[in-house]
């Protein structure tokens, strides 16, 4: 295993700033979604969006705690929570998109597969099973791109803006993994987290526009 380059103070501050911005944006997004759906007579839509918001905040908070407080503890509980929360974020993002936009049997099956994979992955990370570390990123990407098997109903039921935001978010996450793996690159951690935050913003745009604001259209 390659030696990880020690993080400089400037890199630590840059990464911390991105995490602070991310948590602030996550809280703002959660409030916006709550306000948009406050009077909606659609409990299912409210529940699915709430699950999404909860998973978003879990991922942002766990990432901040680990990277700001315990980045050098590679086997500690905060690292395991951070990695497990990424699985929850993937499934949480799918929840309103597949449950509301795609809908029907296709959306239901997609959600069942993604949540089964995400919960299994999260349990594996929390249990700290050895030998699976190299498979983590490929599994993240595999779960994230499962939507290609439902691309036709996604295109049929989403707006052009929503589809572009979903696609852009997926591409940003995927390109970001290059920087996640590039451990010797200066400001590598901050760059990786900037990609994650940008992707999360894109997916929020899709959820807000095509789920929270599109009540009664699906």
């Amino acid at each position: 295993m390659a030696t990880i380059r020690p993080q400089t103070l400037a890199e630590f501050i840059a990464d911390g700033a991105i995490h602070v911005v991310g948590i602030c944006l996550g809280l703002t997004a959660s409030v916006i979604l709550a306000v948009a759906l406050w009077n909606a007579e659609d409990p299912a839509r409210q529940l699915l969006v709430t699950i999404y918001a909860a998973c978003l905040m879990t991922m942002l908070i766990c990432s901040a705690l680990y990277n700001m407080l315990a980045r050098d503890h590679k086997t500690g509980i905060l690292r395991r929570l951070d990695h497990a929360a990424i699985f929850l974020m993937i499934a949480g993002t799918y929840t309103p998109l597949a449950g509301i936009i795609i809908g029907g049997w296709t959306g239901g099956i997609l959600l069942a597969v993604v949540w089964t994979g995400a919960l299994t992955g999260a349990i594996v990370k929390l249990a700290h099973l050895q030998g699976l570390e190299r498979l983590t990123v490929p599994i993240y990407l595999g779960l994230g791109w499962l939507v290609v098997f439902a691309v036709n109903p996604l295109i049929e039921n989403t707006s052009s803006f929503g589809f572009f935001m979903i696609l852009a978010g997926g591409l940003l996450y995927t390109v970001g993994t290059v920087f996640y793996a590039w451990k010797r690159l200066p400001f590598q951690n901050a760059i990786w987290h900037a990609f994650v935050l940008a992707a999360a913003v894109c997916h929020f745009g899709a959820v807000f526009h095509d789920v929270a604001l599109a009540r009664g259209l699906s």
Side-chain angles (χ1 to χ4, degrees), residues 132-143:
L132 299 178
E133 189 71 20
R134 292 182 180 273
L135 298 178
T136 299
V137 172
I139 294 172
Y140 288 151
L141 292 176
L143 284 175

Side-chain angles (χ1 to χ4, degrees), residues 86-172:
I86 296 175
F87 280 110
L88 295 183
M89 181 62 221
I90 293 170
T93 303
Y94 265 101
T95 298
L97 300 180
I100 300 297
I101 295 177
I102 296 175
W105 283 102
T106 302
I109 292 172
L110 183 60
L111 275 182
V113 172
V114 170
W115 270 104
T116 298
L119 290 175
T120 301
I123 291 170
V124 168
K125 296 304 295 187
L126 291 173
H128 191 55
L129 299 181
Q130 298 292 333
L132 299 178
E133 189 71 20
R134 292 182 180 273
L135 298 178
T136 299
V137 172
I139 294 172
Y140 288 151
L141 292 176
L143 284 175
W145 285 103
L146 273 178
V147 72
V148 299
F149 294 104
V151 68
N152 287 334
L154 178 65
I155 293 173
E156 292 171 0
N157 295 314
T158 193
S159 67
S160 297
F161 174 80
F163 181 78
F164 175 77
M165 288 291 99
I166 294 169
L167 178 61
L171 290 175
L172 284 167

Side-chain angles (χ1 to χ4, degrees), residues 11-80:
E11 290 172 318
F12 178 82
I13 292 173
D15 194 35
I18 289 173
H19 278 92
V20 170
V21 170
I23 290 176
C24 290
L25 288 177
L27 289 171
T28 302
S30 298
V31 171
I32 290 173
L33 291 172
V35 171
L37 290 168
W38 185 261
N39 293 319
E41 296 181 359
D42 192 341
R45 189 181 301 267
Q46 291 172 320
L47 175 61
L48 297 185
V49 171
T50 298
I51 291 172
Y52 158 73
C55 290
L56 171 63
M57 291 308 304
T58 298
M59 185 270 289
L60 292 171
I61 292 170
C62 287
S63 179
L65 289 174
Y66 167 60
N67 285 280
M68 296 300 97
L69 300 180
R71 188 169 183 264
D72 293 333
H73 299 143
K74 300 304 180 183
T75 60
I77 184 61
L78 289 180
R79 176 182 170 88
R80 284 178 273 160

